[in-house]
Amino acid sequence: TPLNSSSVDVAVFCLSLMGINFPNYLQEAQRVLKPSGWLLIAEVKSRFDPNTGGADPNKFSKAVCDLGFAPVSKDFSNKMFIMFYFKKKEKQNSKSKEIQWPELKPCLYKRR
């Protein structure tokens, strides 16, 4: 994005991590967010259900934390959606390690 580094207070991803390169989206959010900035993620719950082939929400959360965020909360209370709340860490680790991102399966919509 054309945004300056550390220039944004909040980054919201609402049903927008559908690309196979979704880690790039989150890396860009990490770049543009100010220290202590908020990262909010809302996704379809079935994408984070390991029982049906979805990603493990704990592994996803760990990968986001490895990117430089601190977990604040996860909300599973909605029937259809899951919410993740993170804050960008004040100080970033100088070590750059390989992040193990879980695969996010495509979302299957059911006709209702």
Side-chain angles (χ1 to χ4, degrees):
T1 64
L3 298 169
N4 292 329
S5 296
S6 299
S7 64
V8 175
D9 294 311
V10 179
V12 178
F13 290 88
C14 183
L15 307 177
S16 60
L17 298 179
M18 299 295 178
I20 58 171
N21 62 333
F22 74 89
N24 294 354
Y25 308 166
L26 297 173
Q27 289 168 350
E28 182 64 0
Q30 195 276 344
R31 182 188 71 80
V32 302
L33 278 168
K34 295 176 183 176
S36 295
W38 285 93
L39 173 65
L40 309 176
I41 299 171
E43 278 295 334
V44 176
K45 201 177 220 178
S46 63
R47 297 184 80 205
F48 291 94
D49 184 355
N51 297 320
T52 59
D56 181 333
N58 293 321
K59 288 181 181 177
F60 176 79
S61 185
K62 181 187 180 321
V64 174
C65 291
D66 288 346
L67 185 59
F69 292 92
V72 175
S73 68
K74 287 182 253 184
D75 183 354
F76 290 87
S77 65
N78 187 282
K79 179 181 172 186
M80 302 297 291
F81 303 101
I82 182 173
M83 293 281 303
F84 295 93
Y85 300 85
F86 298 94
K87 280 193 112 174
K88 183 177 176 180
K89 293 178 183 174
E90 289 281 339
K91 296 182 180 177
Q92 300 299 310
N93 292 339
S94 58
K95 292 182 180 178
S96 178
K97 66 177 186 176
E98 183 70 26
I99 298 173
Q100 298 298 313
W101 291 100
E103 180 183 352
L104 293 180
K105 301 285 184 188
C107 182
L108 300 176
Y109 293 97
K110 296 179 184 174
R111 191 172 200 171
R112 304 203 188 273

